[in-house]
């Protein structure tokens, strides 16, 4: 009968959703088991969390490649650093110029002329600076009665053609242009006399023709564009006229400062 009661009690407890079955003395005595390991997962009570996810570390993605250079270099300044040396400054570093033909460059005295009474008279004139590039010599002449004056005369004309193209020693965006002869104070006197009128711009100008292998390029091989190339191609002509236009091919228009003026002799 006792077994039947226990069986019915177990079934009743399962039907109620739980089971609390103890064994031992029927008088309610305590369990004498002294084992302190009550955690089935380990002797210290600790357990690893099986849901923990370890994320592997990865390096950041590489930066995007630099943009491809598609912009040609541009000339932004021309200046004398010596009567026989011009320094050209560009917008970016220039490739080695050892093979650049200096005949790609030519200087001119350029003037824009217009007639204030006749609108149809407007033209740009280019002339070879050689005809103005000569030394002026003056000496004082005195008469017996005490009157003195300066007698001046000009020496032979001096060519002012590009002779060689050299890399600047310090700035990769600059190039040095060596001339056949120095610019004279007489030439600078003329240049400074005709310059300064915005309605009739004038000055000593540099021209350049591109094309072929022996041309100026940037470091990735993009060539410098021509400016004033027609004057370069007219290398044997001392003059060139362009009607009704104001320096049409010279972009940029960069008159070269001419700092070697000669003082005017006293009267």
């Amino acid at each position: 009968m006792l077994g039947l009661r226990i069986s019915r009690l177990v079934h009743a407890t399962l039907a109620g959703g739980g089971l609390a079955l103890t064994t031992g003395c029927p008088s309610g005595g305590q369990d004498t088991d002294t084992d302190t390991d009550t955690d089935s997962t380990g002797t210290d009570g600790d357990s690893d969390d099986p849901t923990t996810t370890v994320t592997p570390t990865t390096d950041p993605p590489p930066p995007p490649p630099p943009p491809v250079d598609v912009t040609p270099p541009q000339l932004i300044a021309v200046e004398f650093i010596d009567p026989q040396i011009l320094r050209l400054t560009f917008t970016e570093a220039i490739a080695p110029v050892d093979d650049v033909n200096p005949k790609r460059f030519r200087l001119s005295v350029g003037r824009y002329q217009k007639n204030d009474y006749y609108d149809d008279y407007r033209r740009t004139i280019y002339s070879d600076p050689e005809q103005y590039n000569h030394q002026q010599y003056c000496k004082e002449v005195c008469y017996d009665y005490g009157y003195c004056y300066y007698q001046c005369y000009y020496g032979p004309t001096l060519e002012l053609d590009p002779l060689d193209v050299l890399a600047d020693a310090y700035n990769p965006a600059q190039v040095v242009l060596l001339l056949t002869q120095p610019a004279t104070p007489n030439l600078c006197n003329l240049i400074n006399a005709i310059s300064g009128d915005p309605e009739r711009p004038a000055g000593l100008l540099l021209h350049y023709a591109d094309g072929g292998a022996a041309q100026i390029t940037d470091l990735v091989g993009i060539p410098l564009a021509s400016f004033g190339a027609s004057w370069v191609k007219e290398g044997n002509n001392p003059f060139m006229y362009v009607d009704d236009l104001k320096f049409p091919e010279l972009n940029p228009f960069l008159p070269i400062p001419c700092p070697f003026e000669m003082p005017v002799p006293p009267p």
Side-chain angles (χ1 to χ4, degrees):
M1 295 297 291
L2 178 61
L4 181 60
R5 291 191 192 127
I6 293 175
S7 176
R8 290 176 180 174
L9 181 60
V10 169
H11 285 286
T13 305
L14 288 174
L19 175 63
L21 184 63
T22 61
T23 60
C25 298
S27 61
Q30 298 296 321
D31 187 2
T32 58
D33 187 2
T34 59
D35 188 2
T36 59
D37 182 13
T38 60
D39 188 348
S40 63
T41 61
T43 58
D44 56 358
D46 294 335
S47 63
D48 293 334
D49 185 357
T51 63
T52 302
T53 302
V54 178
T55 304
T57 59
T58 58
D59 294 332
V68 178
D69 182 7
V70 296
T71 304
Q74 291 185 334
L75 181 68
I76 57 176
V78 186
E79 59 186 332
F80 278 104
I81 57 175
D82 179 270
Q84 203 170 345
I85 300 175
L86 287 171
R87 180 166 59 200
L88 284 56
T89 302
F90 298 91
T91 53
E92 59 180 303
I94 297 299
V97 294
D98 301 344
D99 296 329
V100 173
N101 188 348
K103 293 186 180 297
R104 292 184 175 276
F105 293 94
R106 190 182 182 192
L107 289 166
S108 77
V109 175
R111 285 177 279 188
Y112 176 70
Q113 295 183 336
K114 68 174 185 176
N115 192 303
D116 293 331
Y117 299 99
Y118 303 98
D119 275 348
D120 58 347
Y121 183 83
R122 299 172 184 271
R123 63 182 183 179
T124 296
I125 303 175
Y126 300 108
S127 55
D128 197 315
E130 176 182 337
Q131 59 184 317
Y132 313 109
N133 195 46
H134 38 230
Q135 299 288 357
Q136 184 179 26
Y137 302 93
C138 297
K139 64 179 181 179
E140 188 177 27
V141 178
C142 296
Y143 293 101
D144 293 339
Y145 52 84
Y147 175 75
C148 298
Y149 70 99
Y150 279 88
Q151 185 181 64
C152 299
Y153 64 96
Y154 294 116
T157 59
L158 302 174
E159 289 184 354
L160 202 65
D161 297 327
L163 179 63
D164 201 1
V165 185
L166 306 169
D168 186 85
Y170 303 101
N171 190 339
Q174 292 181 328
V175 168
V176 171
L177 201 61
L178 179 64
L179 305 177
T180 51
Q181 299 287 341
T184 65
N186 188 69
L187 174 65
C188 289
N189 283 343
L190 170 71
I191 295 302
N192 295 328
I194 65 176
S195 302
D197 185 353
E199 294 296 321
R200 296 173 176 82
L204 182 64
L205 306 172
L206 183 66
H207 303 245
Y208 171 77
D210 65 0
Q215 62 179 337
I216 288 184
T217 71
D218 65 9
L219 296 180
V220 297
I222 301 177
L224 174 69
S226 293
F227 46 89
S230 295
W231 177 244
V232 179
K233 297 172 183 177
E234 294 287 331
N236 295 325
N237 295 332
F239 296 97
M240 190 178 84
Y241 301 91
V242 182
D243 290 335
D244 200 31
L245 293 171
K246 186 185 295 186
F247 303 105
E249 295 182 348
L250 276 173
N251 184 19
F253 177 69
L254 296 172
I256 305 170
C258 201
F260 313 115
E261 284 189 315
M262 181 174 60
V264 178

